[in-house]
Amino acid sequence: MTRRIAFAGFNLESVTAVPQVSTRADFERVCFRGAEIPAQYRGTNTVAGGALQVLDAAGAEMVPLFHSLLGALGPAADDGVTAFADELVAGLTNSGPLDGLVLYLHGACWAPGFADVERHMIARARAACPDLPIAVALDYHGNIDAATLAEADIAVAYRHSPHIDMGQTGERASAALLRMIQTGKTPGLAVARPNVVIPSILSATALEPLASLIARARAEEAAGDCDISVMGGFAYADSANTGMSVICLDWQGQAAAEEKATRLAEKIHEARAALFDAVPIWQMDEAIAEAARMRGSGAPVVILEHADRMNDSTHGLRAALKADLGRVMVPFLLDPESAAAAHAAGAGAEVTLHLGGKSAPETGGPLKLPVRVLWTGEKRFAVSGRYQQGAPVDLGLTALVEAGSVRISITSHFAFAVDGDPFYIFDERPEDYDVILLRSKTHFRDFYTPLAAAILVTDTPDLGPADVRLIPYAQLDTSRVYPWCADPAHPIE
């Protein structure tokens, strides 16, 4: 008998403080439904692609409902969450007999009317199909607790940041789900929280001591029949469960899952201070001076403006324009208005833009900048790097402009500039630049660590500070977590 496995994805990493709301229309713009999902994602390094690989190999049928992945933006609108939750219920109830559900969620989607968006989505699925096995695939940067997963049978998260294992995460979720269906055995599922909140820039899984902590999880898996996910959390989504967590899925039962999750969470708690020393943080003027000193080293220097949450900050661009840095590229700056103005002027034209800095006052404000338009038009591509390899990207109306020795690609839709694609789509190479001004958190490391002469992580007065104590939380009780509380009295939940 062919197993029929439903698949649905609703994914957004929300920065609570961003004024721009991610509307229902925004989710619709990137949504694929039904047969579009296998057509777009089969063979890609994505959760959907990994799920398809396992289901195809097992002779099971994916029943694709919808897949909407917005990336990292502002809060979700309540009506968007409700609409997709309703669509999930309708899909589950109108698709005929089902054997299971793979539900792809982020873990840090935030909406004003929901205490926990992911918990709501899972609970709606459970209420619609009380006996249906549910497997949840999560982002490493999700904020979750035991209540989030109370109605799930299986939960796994990315193991790597940069997220080069998205496909493997879909495989793990789907394989565990099929095992549960075939054996009739439900594994233990436990969540433990060390009560530690780290900024995204310190969450790269190759950094110490995080790398050694994650190695412990792999050792536990090798010694027992379990799957352990260490989650870095997402500091910029304000919820009661913001912060790091450990998920253990254990086929030896609930007690074994709880013991392993708690033991690893305790180790994370013990290493809490060392986690904050993993990366040096530069001030922008210091980074600019260091990049100028390193000019001509034979490889580009990456200046990382990690606090920019909407890809439109002008702090780094202003500093780069004033310095003698050689050839500089600023990829994927988000500004639909400037992209439209450049397009109206046309390739070869000179036009003055009021560029960037529009999403929030903290972003530095628009920069009045005369530029020459090098190229403009609609731009779509498939990701070539390992992070989301093969996934479709739609930048919308896009422009490549030049101001002196500084080139800027301006997009109408948010996209991660974390690999070579922002250069390749314009027939350029990152190696040909002296300085690259990136806006990223961890995903850039897979491509740029071996390429760059240096990576200089800078702090700017934007919405994603490296010092999480500067974030004005309303939902998170900071008196109970590190670094606000040096030694929380009850480190494990």
Side-chain angles (χ1 to χ4, degrees), residues 13 69-72 311 332 381 387-388 393 395 413-419 421-422 439-441 443:
E13 183 179 81
L69 191 158
L70 264 181
N311 283 8
F332 288 5
F381 64 95
Y387 170 64
Q388 294 196 44
V393 176
L395 300 178
H413 300 322
F414 182 97
F416 292 115
V418 295
D419 52 29
D421 288 333
R439 295 158 168 79
S440 179
K441 291 80 195 171
H443 302 318

mmCIF file with all atom_site columns, all heavy atoms in Angstrom, residues 13 69-72 311 332 381 387-388 393 395 413-419 421-422 439-441 443:
data_model
loop_
_atom_site.group_PDB
_atom_site.id
_atom_site.type_symbol
_atom_site.label_atom_id
_atom_site.label_alt_id
_atom_site.label_comp_id
_atom_site.label_asym_id
_atom_site.label_entity_id
_atom_site.label_seq_id
_atom_site.pdbx_PDB_ins_code
_atom_site.Cartn_x
_atom_site.Cartn_y
_atom_site.Cartn_z
_atom_site.occupancy
_atom_site.B_iso_or_equiv
_atom_site.pdbx_formal_charge
_atom_site.auth_seq_id
_atom_site.auth_comp_id
_atom_site.auth_asym_id
_atom_site.auth_atom_id
_atom_site.pdbx_PDB_model_num
ATOM 1   N N   . GLU A 1 13  ? 11.262 34.107 9.446   1.00 0.00 ? 13  GLU A N   1
ATOM 2   C CA  . GLU A 1 13  ? 12.053 34.505 10.604  1.00 0.00 ? 13  GLU A CA  1
ATOM 3   C C   . GLU A 1 13  ? 11.747 35.981 10.856  1.00 0.00 ? 13  GLU A C   1
ATOM 4   O O   . GLU A 1 13  ? 12.120 36.839 10.058  1.00 0.00 ? 13  GLU A O   1
ATOM 5   C CB  . GLU A 1 13  ? 13.536 34.290 10.317  1.00 0.00 ? 13  GLU A CB  1
ATOM 6   C CG  . GLU A 1 13  ? 14.450 34.616 11.486  1.00 0.00 ? 13  GLU A CG  1
ATOM 7   C CD  . GLU A 1 13  ? 15.904 34.356 11.122  1.00 0.00 ? 13  GLU A CD  1
ATOM 8   O OE1 . GLU A 1 13  ? 16.514 35.231 10.452  1.00 0.00 ? 13  GLU A OE1 1
ATOM 9   O OE2 . GLU A 1 13  ? 16.421 33.289 11.483  1.00 0.00 ? 13  GLU A OE2 1
ATOM 10  N N   . LEU A 1 69  ? 7.996  30.397 1.878   1.00 0.00 ? 69  LEU A N   1
ATOM 11  C CA  . LEU A 1 69  ? 9.193  30.704 2.656   1.00 0.00 ? 69  LEU A CA  1
ATOM 12  C C   . LEU A 1 69  ? 9.608  32.129 2.349   1.00 0.00 ? 69  LEU A C   1
ATOM 13  O O   . LEU A 1 69  ? 10.041 32.430 1.249   1.00 0.00 ? 69  LEU A O   1
ATOM 14  C CB  . LEU A 1 69  ? 10.317 29.712 2.327   1.00 0.00 ? 69  LEU A CB  1
ATOM 15  C CG  . LEU A 1 69  ? 11.550 29.723 3.222   1.00 0.00 ? 69  LEU A CG  1
ATOM 16  C CD1 . LEU A 1 69  ? 12.283 28.382 3.123   1.00 0.00 ? 69  LEU A CD1 1
ATOM 17  C CD2 . LEU A 1 69  ? 12.535 30.826 2.848   1.00 0.00 ? 69  LEU A CD2 1
ATOM 18  N N   . LEU A 1 70  ? 9.463  33.019 3.342   1.00 0.00 ? 70  LEU A N   1
ATOM 19  C CA  . LEU A 1 70  ? 9.765  34.432 3.127   1.00 0.00 ? 70  LEU A CA  1
ATOM 20  C C   . LEU A 1 70  ? 11.178 34.822 3.529   1.00 0.00 ? 70  LEU A C   1
ATOM 21  O O   . LEU A 1 70  ? 11.657 35.870 3.144   1.00 0.00 ? 70  LEU A O   1
ATOM 22  C CB  . LEU A 1 70  ? 8.775  35.296 3.910   1.00 0.00 ? 70  LEU A CB  1
ATOM 23  C CG  . LEU A 1 70  ? 7.555  35.809 3.142   1.00 0.00 ? 70  LEU A CG  1
ATOM 24  C CD1 . LEU A 1 70  ? 6.687  36.663 4.037   1.00 0.00 ? 70  LEU A CD1 1
ATOM 25  C CD2 . LEU A 1 70  ? 7.964  36.606 1.912   1.00 0.00 ? 70  LEU A CD2 1
ATOM 26  N N   . GLY A 1 71  ? 11.861 34.026 4.329   1.00 0.00 ? 71  GLY A N   1
ATOM 27  C CA  . GLY A 1 71  ? 13.199 34.403 4.772   1.00 0.00 ? 71  GLY A CA  1
ATOM 28  C C   . GLY A 1 71  ? 13.152 35.175 6.071   1.00 0.00 ? 71  GLY A C   1
ATOM 29  O O   . GLY A 1 71  ? 12.394 34.842 6.984   1.00 0.00 ? 71  GLY A O   1
ATOM 30  N N   . ALA A 1 72  ? 13.947 36.234 6.178   1.00 0.00 ? 72  ALA A N   1
ATOM 31  C CA  . ALA A 1 72  ? 14.063 37.005 7.420   1.00 0.00 ? 72  ALA A CA  1
ATOM 32  C C   . ALA A 1 72  ? 13.552 38.413 7.180   1.00 0.00 ? 72  ALA A C   1
ATOM 33  O O   . ALA A 1 72  ? 14.204 39.213 6.513   1.00 0.00 ? 72  ALA A O   1
ATOM 34  C CB  . ALA A 1 72  ? 15.516 37.043 7.877   1.00 0.00 ? 72  ALA A CB  1
ATOM 35  N N   . ASN A 1 311 ? 18.310 44.516 5.036   1.00 0.00 ? 311 ASN A N   1
ATOM 36  C CA  . ASN A 1 311 ? 19.159 44.688 3.854   1.00 0.00 ? 311 ASN A CA  1
ATOM 37  C C   . ASN A 1 311 ? 19.086 46.093 3.259   1.00 0.00 ? 311 ASN A C   1
ATOM 38  O O   . ASN A 1 311 ? 19.255 46.255 2.044   1.00 0.00 ? 311 ASN A O   1
ATOM 39  C CB  . ASN A 1 311 ? 18.795 43.667 2.760   1.00 0.00 ? 311 ASN A CB  1
ATOM 40  C CG  . ASN A 1 311 ? 19.331 42.284 3.051   1.00 0.00 ? 311 ASN A CG  1
ATOM 41  O OD1 . ASN A 1 311 ? 19.844 42.026 4.132   1.00 0.00 ? 311 ASN A OD1 1
ATOM 42  N ND2 . ASN A 1 311 ? 19.200 41.378 2.096   1.00 0.00 ? 311 ASN A ND2 1
ATOM 43  N N   . PHE A 1 332 ? 22.757 43.281 -3.166  1.00 0.00 ? 332 PHE A N   1
ATOM 44  C CA  . PHE A 1 332 ? 21.370 43.046 -2.754  1.00 0.00 ? 332 PHE A CA  1
ATOM 45  C C   . PHE A 1 332 ? 20.883 44.020 -1.692  1.00 0.00 ? 332 PHE A C   1
ATOM 46  O O   . PHE A 1 332 ? 20.313 43.635 -0.676  1.00 0.00 ? 332 PHE A O   1
ATOM 47  C CB  . PHE A 1 332 ? 21.196 41.616 -2.279  1.00 0.00 ? 332 PHE A CB  1
ATOM 48  C CG  . PHE A 1 332 ? 21.243 40.576 -3.369  1.00 0.00 ? 332 PHE A CG  1
ATOM 49  C CD1 . PHE A 1 332 ? 21.532 40.918 -4.672  1.00 0.00 ? 332 PHE A CD1 1
ATOM 50  C CD2 . PHE A 1 332 ? 20.999 39.251 -3.078  1.00 0.00 ? 332 PHE A CD2 1
ATOM 51  C CE1 . PHE A 1 332 ? 21.588 39.960 -5.686  1.00 0.00 ? 332 PHE A CE1 1
ATOM 52  C CE2 . PHE A 1 332 ? 21.042 38.275 -4.072  1.00 0.00 ? 332 PHE A CE2 1
ATOM 53  C CZ  . PHE A 1 332 ? 21.337 38.629 -5.378  1.00 0.00 ? 332 PHE A CZ  1
ATOM 54  N N   . PHE A 1 381 ? 16.722 33.768 -10.447 1.00 0.00 ? 381 PHE A N   1
ATOM 55  C CA  . PHE A 1 381 ? 17.770 32.768 -10.598 1.00 0.00 ? 381 PHE A CA  1
ATOM 56  C C   . PHE A 1 381 ? 17.531 31.622 -9.631  1.00 0.00 ? 381 PHE A C   1
ATOM 57  O O   . PHE A 1 381 ? 16.688 31.705 -8.733  1.00 0.00 ? 381 PHE A O   1
ATOM 58  C CB  . PHE A 1 381 ? 19.152 33.389 -10.380 1.00 0.00 ? 381 PHE A CB  1
ATOM 59  C CG  . PHE A 1 381 ? 19.377 33.926 -8.987  1.00 0.00 ? 381 PHE A CG  1
ATOM 60  C CD1 . PHE A 1 381 ? 20.002 33.151 -8.020  1.00 0.00 ? 381 PHE A CD1 1
ATOM 61  C CD2 . PHE A 1 381 ? 18.991 35.225 -8.650  1.00 0.00 ? 381 PHE A CD2 1
ATOM 62  C CE1 . PHE A 1 381 ? 20.220 33.650 -6.731  1.00 0.00 ? 381 PHE A CE1 1
ATOM 63  C CE2 . PHE A 1 381 ? 19.208 35.733 -7.369  1.00 0.00 ? 381 PHE A CE2 1
ATOM 64  C CZ  . PHE A 1 381 ? 19.825 34.947 -6.409  1.00 0.00 ? 381 PHE A CZ  1
ATOM 65  N N   . TYR A 1 387 ? 23.758 26.637 0.518   1.00 0.00 ? 387 TYR A N   1
ATOM 66  C CA  . TYR A 1 387 ? 22.585 27.065 1.273   1.00 0.00 ? 387 TYR A CA  1
ATOM 67  C C   . TYR A 1 387 ? 21.409 27.230 0.317   1.00 0.00 ? 387 TYR A C   1
ATOM 68  O O   . TYR A 1 387 ? 21.426 28.067 -0.573  1.00 0.00 ? 387 TYR A O   1
ATOM 69  C CB  . TYR A 1 387 ? 22.896 28.381 1.991   1.00 0.00 ? 387 TYR A CB  1
ATOM 70  C CG  . TYR A 1 387 ? 21.695 29.054 2.620   1.00 0.00 ? 387 TYR A CG  1
ATOM 71  C CD1 . TYR A 1 387 ? 21.008 28.445 3.661   1.00 0.00 ? 387 TYR A CD1 1
ATOM 72  C CD2 . TYR A 1 387 ? 21.259 30.298 2.177   1.00 0.00 ? 387 TYR A CD2 1
ATOM 73  C CE1 . TYR A 1 387 ? 19.913 29.062 4.244   1.00 0.00 ? 387 TYR A CE1 1
ATOM 74  C CE2 . TYR A 1 387 ? 20.176 30.926 2.757   1.00 0.00 ? 387 TYR A CE2 1
ATOM 75  C CZ  . TYR A 1 387 ? 19.496 30.301 3.781   1.00 0.00 ? 387 TYR A CZ  1
ATOM 76  O OH  . TYR A 1 387 ? 18.416 30.912 4.352   1.00 0.00 ? 387 TYR A OH  1
ATOM 77  N N   . GLN A 1 388 ? 20.383 26.392 0.460   1.00 0.00 ? 388 GLN A N   1
ATOM 78  C CA  . GLN A 1 388 ? 19.197 26.385 -0.396  1.00 0.00 ? 388 GLN A CA  1
ATOM 79  C C   . GLN A 1 388 ? 19.533 26.117 -1.855  1.00 0.00 ? 388 GLN A C   1
ATOM 80  O O   . GLN A 1 388 ? 18.854 26.618 -2.766  1.00 0.00 ? 388 GLN A O   1
ATOM 81  C CB  . GLN A 1 388 ? 18.413 27.699 -0.284  1.00 0.00 ? 388 GLN A CB  1
ATOM 82  C CG  . GLN A 1 388 ? 17.792 27.945 1.069   1.00 0.00 ? 388 GLN A CG  1
ATOM 83  C CD  . GLN A 1 388 ? 16.728 29.024 1.032   1.00 0.00 ? 388 GLN A CD  1
ATOM 84  O OE1 . GLN A 1 388 ? 15.895 29.067 0.143   1.00 0.00 ? 388 GLN A OE1 1
ATOM 85  N NE2 . GLN A 1 388 ? 16.756 29.912 2.016   1.00 0.00 ? 388 GLN A NE2 1
ATOM 86  N N   . VAL A 1 393 ? 14.825 32.047 -6.667  1.00 0.00 ? 393 VAL A N   1
ATOM 87  C CA  . VAL A 1 393 ? 14.892 33.370 -6.051  1.00 0.00 ? 393 VAL A CA  1
ATOM 88  C C   . VAL A 1 393 ? 14.356 34.387 -7.053  1.00 0.00 ? 393 VAL A C   1
ATOM 89  O O   . VAL A 1 393 ? 14.756 34.398 -8.217  1.00 0.00 ? 393 VAL A O   1
ATOM 90  C CB  . VAL A 1 393 ? 16.334 33.750 -5.654  1.00 0.00 ? 393 VAL A CB  1
ATOM 91  C CG1 . VAL A 1 393 ? 16.380 35.167 -5.096  1.00 0.00 ? 393 VAL A CG1 1
ATOM 92  C CG2 . VAL A 1 393 ? 16.886 32.757 -4.648  1.00 0.00 ? 393 VAL A CG2 1
ATOM 93  N N   . LEU A 1 395 ? 14.157 38.388 -7.392  1.00 0.00 ? 395 LEU A N   1
ATOM 94  C CA  . LEU A 1 395 ? 14.570 39.687 -6.858  1.00 0.00 ? 395 LEU A CA  1
ATOM 95  C C   . LEU A 1 395 ? 13.619 40.806 -7.280  1.00 0.00 ? 395 LEU A C   1
ATOM 96  O O   . LEU A 1 395 ? 13.713 41.909 -6.757  1.00 0.00 ? 395 LEU A O   1
ATOM 97  C CB  . LEU A 1 395 ? 15.979 40.036 -7.336  1.00 0.00 ? 395 LEU A CB  1
ATOM 98  C CG  . LEU A 1 395 ? 17.110 39.087 -6.949  1.00 0.00 ? 395 LEU A CG  1
ATOM 99  C CD1 . LEU A 1 395 ? 18.424 39.579 -7.560  1.00 0.00 ? 395 LEU A CD1 1
ATOM 100 C CD2 . LEU A 1 395 ? 17.238 38.970 -5.435  1.00 0.00 ? 395 LEU A CD2 1
ATOM 101 N N   . HIS A 1 413 ? 12.862 42.829 -3.944  1.00 0.00 ? 413 HIS A N   1
ATOM 102 C CA  . HIS A 1 413 ? 12.457 41.822 -2.970  1.00 0.00 ? 413 HIS A CA  1
ATOM 103 C C   . HIS A 1 413 ? 13.664 41.422 -2.138  1.00 0.00 ? 413 HIS A C   1
ATOM 104 O O   . HIS A 1 413 ? 14.790 41.366 -2.644  1.00 0.00 ? 413 HIS A O   1
ATOM 105 C CB  . HIS A 1 413 ? 11.883 40.575 -3.652  1.00 0.00 ? 413 HIS A CB  1
ATOM 106 C CG  . HIS A 1 413 ? 10.678 40.839 -4.496  1.00 0.00 ? 413 HIS A CG  1
ATOM 107 N ND1 . HIS A 1 413 ? 9.698  41.732 -4.139  1.00 0.00 ? 413 HIS A ND1 1
ATOM 108 C CD2 . HIS A 1 413 ? 10.295 40.326 -5.704  1.00 0.00 ? 413 HIS A CD2 1
ATOM 109 C CE1 . HIS A 1 413 ? 8.765  41.753 -5.076  1.00 0.00 ? 413 HIS A CE1 1
ATOM 110 N NE2 . HIS A 1 413 ? 9.105  40.920 -6.032  1.00 0.00 ? 413 HIS A NE2 1
ATOM 111 N N   . PHE A 1 414 ? 13.417 41.118 -0.871  1.00 0.00 ? 414 PHE A N   1
ATOM 112 C CA  . PHE A 1 414 ? 14.482 40.692 0.039   1.00 0.00 ? 414 PHE A CA  1
ATOM 113 C C   . PHE A 1 414 ? 15.090 39.385 -0.448  1.00 0.00 ? 414 PHE A C   1
ATOM 114 O O   . PHE A 1 414 ? 14.394 38.450 -0.841  1.00 0.00 ? 414 PHE A O   1
ATOM 115 C CB  . PHE A 1 414 ? 13.898 40.492 1.438   1.00 0.00 ? 414 PHE A CB  1
ATOM 116 C CG  . PHE A 1 414 ? 14.909 40.106 2.485   1.00 0.00 ? 414 PHE A CG  1
ATOM 117 C CD1 . PHE A 1 414 ? 15.471 41.053 3.312   1.00 0.00 ? 414 PHE A CD1 1
ATOM 118 C CD2 . PHE A 1 414 ? 15.302 38.782 2.639   1.00 0.00 ? 414 PHE A CD2 1
ATOM 119 C CE1 . PHE A 1 414 ? 16.398 40.701 4.279   1.00 0.00 ? 414 PHE A CE1 1
ATOM 120 C CE2 . PHE A 1 414 ? 16.226 38.409 3.597   1.00 0.00 ? 414 PHE A CE2 1
ATOM 121 C CZ  . PHE A 1 414 ? 16.775 39.375 4.424   1.00 0.00 ? 414 PHE A CZ  1
ATOM 122 N N   . ALA A 1 415 ? 16.411 39.313 -0.404  1.00 0.00 ? 415 ALA A N   1
ATOM 123 C CA  . ALA A 1 415 ? 17.117 38.067 -0.727  1.00 0.00 ? 415 ALA A CA  1
ATOM 124 C C   . ALA A 1 415 ? 18.443 38.053 0.005   1.00 0.00 ? 415 ALA A C   1
ATOM 125 O O   . ALA A 1 415 ? 19.056 39.105 0.231   1.00 0.00 ? 415 ALA A O   1
ATOM 126 C CB  . ALA A 1 415 ? 17.338 37.924 -2.230  1.00 0.00 ? 415 ALA A CB  1
ATOM 127 N N   . PHE A 1 416 ? 18.886 36.847 0.377   1.00 0.00 ? 416 PHE A N   1
ATOM 128 C CA  . PHE A 1 416 ? 20.165 36.703 1.061   1.00 0.00 ? 416 PHE A CA  1
ATOM 129 C C   . PHE A 1 416 ? 21.313 36.794 0.062   1.00 0.00 ? 416 PHE A C   1
ATOM 130 O O   . PHE A 1 416 ? 21.323 36.097 -0.950  1.00 0.00 ? 416 PHE A O   1
ATOM 131 C CB  . PHE A 1 416 ? 20.238 35.359 1.780   1.00 0.00 ? 416 PHE A CB  1
ATOM 132 C CG  . PHE A 1 416 ? 19.301 35.236 2.949   1.00 0.00 ? 416 PHE A CG  1
ATOM 133 C CD1 . PHE A 1 416 ? 18.267 34.318 2.935   1.00 0.00 ? 416 PHE A CD1 1
ATOM 134 C CD2 . PHE A 1 416 ? 19.465 36.031 4.069   1.00 0.00 ? 416 PHE A CD2 1
ATOM 135 C CE1 . PHE A 1 416 ? 17.406 34.200 4.004   1.00 0.00 ? 416 PHE A CE1 1
ATOM 136 C CE2 . PHE A 1 416 ? 18.615 35.925 5.152   1.00 0.00 ? 416 PHE A CE2 1
ATOM 137 C CZ  . PHE A 1 416 ? 17.573 35.001 5.120   1.00 0.00 ? 416 PHE A CZ  1
ATOM 138 N N   . ALA A 1 417 ? 22.292 37.636 0.363   1.00 0.00 ? 417 ALA A N   1
ATOM 139 C CA  . ALA A 1 417 ? 23.511 37.717 -0.439  1.00 0.00 ? 417 ALA A CA  1
ATOM 140 C C   . ALA A 1 417 ? 24.607 36.984 0.308   1.00 0.00 ? 417 ALA A C   1
ATOM 141 O O   . ALA A 1 417 ? 25.408 37.591 1.020   1.00 0.00 ? 417 ALA A O   1
ATOM 142 C CB  . ALA A 1 417 ? 23.898 39.170 -0.683  1.00 0.00 ? 417 ALA A CB  1
ATOM 143 N N   . VAL A 1 418 ? 24.634 35.658 0.189   1.00 0.00 ? 418 VAL A N   1
ATOM 144 C CA  . VAL A 1 418 ? 25.522 34.868 1.036   1.00 0.00 ? 418 VAL A CA  1
ATOM 145 C C   . VAL A 1 418 ? 26.474 33.974 0.247   1.00 0.00 ? 418 VAL A C   1
ATOM 146 O O   . VAL A 1 418 ? 27.282 33.262 0.838   1.00 0.00 ? 418 VAL A O   1
ATOM 147 C CB  . VAL A 1 418 ? 24.701 33.997 2.018   1.00 0.00 ? 418 VAL A CB  1
ATOM 148 C CG1 . VAL A 1 418 ? 23.926 34.883 2.986   1.00 0.00 ? 418 VAL A CG1 1
ATOM 149 C CG2 . VAL A 1 418 ? 23.764 33.049 1.286   1.00 0.00 ? 418 VAL A CG2 1
ATOM 150 N N   . ASP A 1 419 ? 26.390 34.012 -1.073  1.00 0.00 ? 419 ASP A N   1
ATOM 151 C CA  . ASP A 1 419 ? 27.283 33.191 -1.889  1.00 0.00 ? 419 ASP A CA  1
ATOM 152 C C   . ASP A 1 419 ? 27.701 33.999 -3.114  1.00 0.00 ? 419 ASP A C   1
ATOM 153 O O   . ASP A 1 419 ? 27.664 35.229 -3.101  1.00 0.00 ? 419 ASP A O   1
ATOM 154 C CB  . ASP A 1 419 ? 26.607 31.866 -2.261  1.00 0.00 ? 419 ASP A CB  1
ATOM 155 C CG  . ASP A 1 419 ? 25.233 32.062 -2.888  1.00 0.00 ? 419 ASP A CG  1
ATOM 156 O OD1 . ASP A 1 419 ? 25.009 33.117 -3.528  1.00 0.00 ? 419 ASP A OD1 1
ATOM 157 O OD2 . ASP A 1 419 ? 24.366 31.173 -2.729  1.00 0.00 ? 419 ASP A OD2 1
ATOM 158 N N   . ASP A 1 421 ? 26.229 34.154 -6.057  1.00 0.00 ? 421 ASP A N   1
ATOM 159 C CA  . ASP A 1 421 ? 25.159 34.495 -6.994  1.00 0.00 ? 421 ASP A CA  1
ATOM 160 C C   . ASP A 1 421 ? 24.977 35.991 -7.219  1.00 0.00 ? 421 ASP A C   1
ATOM 161 O O   . ASP A 1 421 ? 24.712 36.400 -8.360  1.00 0.00 ? 421 ASP A O   1
ATOM 162 C CB  . ASP A 1 421 ? 23.843 33.874 -6.531  1.00 0.00 ? 421 ASP A CB  1
ATOM 163 C CG  . ASP A 1 421 ? 23.824 32.362 -6.716  1.00 0.00 ? 421 ASP A CG  1
ATOM 164 O OD1 . ASP A 1 421 ? 24.535 31.872 -7.612  1.00 0.00 ? 421 ASP A OD1 1
ATOM 165 O OD2 . ASP A 1 421 ? 23.124 31.672 -5.954  1.00 0.00 ? 421 ASP A OD2 1
ATOM 166 N N   . PRO A 1 422 ? 25.095 36.854 -6.198  1.00 0.00 ? 422 PRO A N   1
ATOM 167 C CA  . PRO A 1 422 ? 24.932 38.283 -6.462  1.00 0.00 ? 422 PRO A CA  1
ATOM 168 C C   . PRO A 1 422 ? 25.944 38.833 -7.466  1.00 0.00 ? 422 PRO A C   1
ATOM 169 O O   . PRO A 1 422 ? 25.718 39.910 -8.043  1.00 0.00 ? 422 PRO A O   1
ATOM 170 C CB  . PRO A 1 422 ? 25.132 38.918 -5.080  1.00 0.00 ? 422 PRO A CB  1
ATOM 171 C CG  . PRO A 1 422 ? 24.750 37.844 -4.116  1.00 0.00 ? 422 PRO A CG  1
ATOM 172 C CD  . PRO A 1 422 ? 25.232 36.577 -4.754  1.00 0.00 ? 422 PRO A CD  1
ATOM 173 N N   . ARG A 1 439 ? 25.467 41.963 4.160   1.00 0.00 ? 439 ARG A N   1
ATOM 174 C CA  . ARG A 1 439 ? 24.455 41.996 5.210   1.00 0.00 ? 439 ARG A CA  1
ATOM 175 C C   . ARG A 1 439 ? 24.019 40.558 5.429   1.00 0.00 ? 439 ARG A C   1
ATOM 176 O O   . ARG A 1 439 ? 23.217 40.025 4.672   1.00 0.00 ? 439 ARG A O   1
ATOM 177 C CB  . ARG A 1 439 ? 23.277 42.860 4.776   1.00 0.00 ? 439 ARG A CB  1
ATOM 178 C CG  . ARG A 1 439 ? 23.643 44.315 4.600   1.00 0.00 ? 439 ARG A CG  1
ATOM 179 C CD  . ARG A 1 439 ? 22.658 45.009 3.686   1.00 0.00 ? 439 ARG A CD  1
ATOM 180 N NE  . ARG A 1 439 ? 22.831 46.445 3.732   1.00 0.00 ? 439 ARG A NE  1
ATOM 181 C CZ  . ARG A 1 439 ? 23.780 47.103 3.075   1.00 0.00 ? 439 ARG A CZ  1
ATOM 182 N NH1 . ARG A 1 439 ? 24.614 46.449 2.313   1.00 0.00 ? 439 ARG A NH1 1
ATOM 183 N NH2 . ARG A 1 439 ? 23.885 48.406 3.182   1.00 0.00 ? 439 ARG A NH2 1
ATOM 184 N N   . SER A 1 440 ? 24.562 39.944 6.462   1.00 0.00 ? 440 SER A N   1
ATOM 185 C CA  . SER A 1 440 ? 24.239 38.554 6.736   1.00 0.00 ? 440 SER A CA  1
ATOM 186 C C   . SER A 1 440 ? 24.537 38.301 8.206   1.00 0.00 ? 440 SER A C   1
ATOM 187 O O   . SER A 1 440 ? 24.996 39.191 8.928   1.00 0.00 ? 440 SER A O   1
ATOM 188 C CB  . SER A 1 440 ? 25.050 37.615 5.837   1.00 0.00 ? 440 SER A CB  1
ATOM 189 O OG  . SER A 1 440 ? 24.757 36.263 6.106   1.00 0.00 ? 440 SER A OG  1
ATOM 190 N N   . LYS A 1 441 ? 24.286 37.062 8.642   1.00 0.00 ? 441 LYS A N   1
ATOM 191 C CA  . LYS A 1 441 ? 24.500 36.708 10.046  1.00 0.00 ? 441 LYS A CA  1
ATOM 192 C C   . LYS A 1 441 ? 25.442 35.520 10.144  1.00 0.00 ? 441 LYS A C   1
ATOM 193 O O   . LYS A 1 441 ? 26.522 35.615 10.711  1.00 0.00 ? 441 LYS A O   1
ATOM 194 C CB  . LYS A 1 441 ? 23.162 36.412 10.729  1.00 0.00 ? 441 LYS A CB  1
ATOM 195 C CG  . LYS A 1 441 ? 22.305 37.671 10.900  1.00 0.00 ? 441 LYS A CG  1
ATOM 196 C CD  . LYS A 1 441 ? 21.587 38.050 9.626   1.00 0.00 ? 441 LYS A CD  1
ATOM 197 C CE  . LYS A 1 441 ? 21.036 39.468 9.668   1.00 0.00 ? 441 LYS A CE  1
ATOM 198 N NZ  . LYS A 1 441 ? 20.517 39.904 8.351   1.00 0.00 ? 441 LYS A NZ  1
ATOM 199 N N   . HIS A 1 443 ? 25.041 32.722 7.320   1.00 0.00 ? 443 HIS A N   1
ATOM 200 C CA  . HIS A 1 443 ? 24.988 31.938 6.083   1.00 0.00 ? 443 HIS A CA  1
ATOM 201 C C   . HIS A 1 443 ? 26.136 32.244 5.127   1.00 0.00 ? 443 HIS A C   1
ATOM 202 O O   . HIS A 1 443 ? 26.518 31.410 4.301   1.00 0.00 ? 443 HIS A O   1
ATOM 203 C CB  . HIS A 1 443 ? 23.655 32.155 5.378   1.00 0.00 ? 443 HIS A CB  1
ATOM 204 C CG  . HIS A 1 443 ? 22.480 31.789 6.213   1.00 0.00 ? 443 HIS A CG  1
ATOM 205 N ND1 . HIS A 1 443 ? 22.453 30.663 6.994   1.00 0.00 ? 443 HIS A ND1 1
ATOM 206 C CD2 . HIS A 1 443 ? 21.280 32.407 6.405   1.00 0.00 ? 443 HIS A CD2 1
ATOM 207 C CE1 . HIS A 1 443 ? 21.301 30.593 7.629   1.00 0.00 ? 443 HIS A CE1 1
ATOM 208 N NE2 . HIS A 1 443 ? 20.579 31.643 7.299   1.00 0.00 ? 443 HIS A NE2 1
#
